[in-house]
Amino acid sequence: MVVTEAGLIKPASRAGIRISASASSGSEALMRFAFDQPRPGFDQIGLELLGGDQVEEHWLIPAKAESGRHGDLRFCQADHLLYIACECADDGRTDPAGMTERLYGEILALAKMQGCPTLIRAWNFMPAINRGEGDDERYRRFCLGRARALEAAGIGDRELCAGTAIGGDDPHLRVMVLTGRHGGINIENPRQVSAYRYPRIYGPRSPSFARATAIGQPDGSAFLMISGTASVVGHRTLHEGDLEAQTAEIIVNLDTVLKESTQRLRRPALGEFGVHSLLRAYVRHAEHWPQVREQLRSAWPDTPVIGLRGDICRSDLLVEIEAVTSG
Ligand code: 3EB
């Protein structure tokens, strides 16, 4: 993937991706998330929906999509994009490192086999993410398994993608990955140390994700996927125990990623979220959702938001927000 002098990104596929709150005629769904209730054929993330502007998320593509199964993996492929999802029973008590390494190994092998080996976006959900002390914390063990699988597949720090890792109460490890024949462009946040360079104090292997990944659209615009973003500056958590301050810090972090993307990709339209964007907020305590929603409404009044109850992967973090936008 190349950004030319003019800031143009080579399209990731011949068809463009669009996110929508519902199905739409003329487009096929590459990925669908239903947050409110189990619905056949929809991907569940196993978190409680707290509210917001929509109850489903459809990632649509104007191309024929073909679905299939491969062992424990489900996949959907359209044009040069491939979505792979899987869920594994996880009681929240066993060490997730081995299971994560195996699952990621299978996902990366399938992606390669299907001709879409490059990571574009990943989500990870698991129970009891903060259980365990120090390096035994389940999130840290998950990071170890993921890092080993990526390493075995020859995927380096430059080839990571935007990510989310959240804990919930549902007893499954769920991994969802969007890959492509061609990759995207990764954007880091100048206020934050890249997660893949976090120091040893956060675990035996650094988290394998980029702060954001952009892919080119056939019309020359960019589709930007921003990772789960928390109140982290440098590599440290800020505002422990203070919801309002953590949310304000996240808003600054998201704004910084937008500004960085605008400059790197030379697309002024990426500078602000709007009606065409979508925010997903994960809050550790359900009663915190109204406050987060209010702060997001003040920052970006027109932007749709979805609120979910989830545990953030550092126990001192109360809220994390991911985003999709285009321009
Ligand atoms: C952080 O900034 C918050 O391990 O895939 C955010 C998004 C976080 C993704 C991951 C972790 C992950 O470090 C944590």
Side-chain angles (χ1 to χ4, degrees):
M1 182 67 20
V2 196
V3 187
T4 65
E5 296 247 338
L8 298 173
I9 320 171
K10 208 171 113 204
S13 86
R14 289 172 302 228
I17 299 191
R18 180 164 74 79
I19 49 159
S20 167
S22 58
S24 152
S25 61
S27 288
E28 297 220 21
L30 181 63
M31 326 168 3
R32 306 184 300 169
F33 300 94
F35 302 109
D36 57 341
Q37 55 189 305
R39 290 239 251 131
F42 276 78
D43 289 292
Q44 308 298 312
I45 63 172
L47 304 181
E48 183 197 349
L49 178 69
L50 300 174
D53 301 295
Q54 59 192 69
V55 298
E56 290 174 6
E57 206 176 293
H58 297 240
W59 293 49
L60 303 172
I61 181 163
K64 182 100 198 79
E66 289 193 37
S67 307
R69 275 182 177 275
H70 185 82
D72 291 338
L73 310 179
R74 288 179 300 111
F75 66 91
C76 185
Q77 187 155 21
D79 193 49
H80 294 170
L81 297 167
L82 171 67
Y83 175 59
I84 303 175
C86 58
E87 55 175 60
C88 262
D90 179 349
D91 63 7
R93 305 208 160 263
T94 44
D95 175 2
M99 181 161 56
T100 303
E101 185 176 354
R102 181 179 60 77
L103 260 186
Y104 262 89
E106 287 174 10
I107 289 169
L108 297 170
L110 177 62
K112 197 168 170 184
M113 193 170 85
Q114 296 296 111
C116 292
T118 319
L119 297 172
I120 293 176
R121 181 68 169 94
W123 291 265
N124 307 276
F125 301 98
M126 78 201 74
I129 195 166
N130 302 126
R131 180 174 288 151
E133 290 304 309
D135 287 348
D136 289 332
E137 185 188 31
R138 282 171 47 86
Y139 173 63
R140 296 185 182 195
R141 299 295 300 170
F142 160 83
C143 284
L144 177 67
R146 175 174 59 179
R148 283 181 173 154
L150 291 167
E151 193 172 69
I155 295 174
D157 291 346
R158 306 263 146 221
E159 297 140 326
L160 299 173
C161 67
T164 294
I166 291 288
D169 303 315
D170 180 78
H172 293 93
L173 168 65
R174 296 169 197 269
V175 178
M176 296 146 186
V177 181
L178 176 64
T179 66
R181 177 182 294 188
H182 316 291
I185 293 172
N186 287 339
I187 313 277
E188 291 299 306
N189 180 342
R191 301 181 82 224
Q192 298 181 307
V193 172
S194 292
Y196 52 81
R197 296 203 180 122
Y198 279 174
R200 177 66 182 83
I201 47 169
Y202 299 103
R205 294 294 295 264
S206 304
S208 312
F209 69 98
R211 296 299 177 185
T213 301
I215 58 172
Q217 300 271 51
D219 68 0
S221 67
F223 183 77
L224 181 70
M225 295 153 279
I226 303 181
S227 292
T229 302
S231 178
V232 170
V233 176
H235 56 74
R236 285 179 221 287
T237 295
L238 291 195
H239 321 297
E240 193 171 341
D242 185 340
L243 176 73
E244 190 176 340
Q246 285 198 14
T247 307
E249 202 66 60
I250 290 172
I251 290 169
V252 176
N253 275 333
L254 289 171
D255 233 348
T256 305
V257 172
L258 288 179
K259 295 292 166 296
E260 183 73 8
S261 304
T262 300
Q263 287 172 12
R264 283 272 316 278
L265 307 173
R266 300 184 204 191
R267 282 188 179 57
L270 286 177
E272 293 280 345
F273 294 127
V275 281
H276 57 288
S277 314
L278 181 62
L279 302 173
R280 240 199 242 180
Y282 304 96
V283 297
R284 188 180 289 280
H285 305 296
E287 64 272 22
H288 284 172
W289 160 240
Q291 169 71 32
V292 172
R293 184 171 194 183
E294 206 35 58
Q295 284 178 258
L296 290 175
R297 216 198 302 270
S298 312
W300 297 291
D302 309 331
T303 308
V305 183
I306 295 167
L308 299 156
R309 211 232 39 96
D311 298 321
I312 322 304
C313 62
R314 286 186 192 178
S315 51
D316 52 10
L317 290 170
L318 295 168
V319 50
E320 182 173 301
I321 300 168
E322 66 181 50
V324 184
T325 191
S326 54

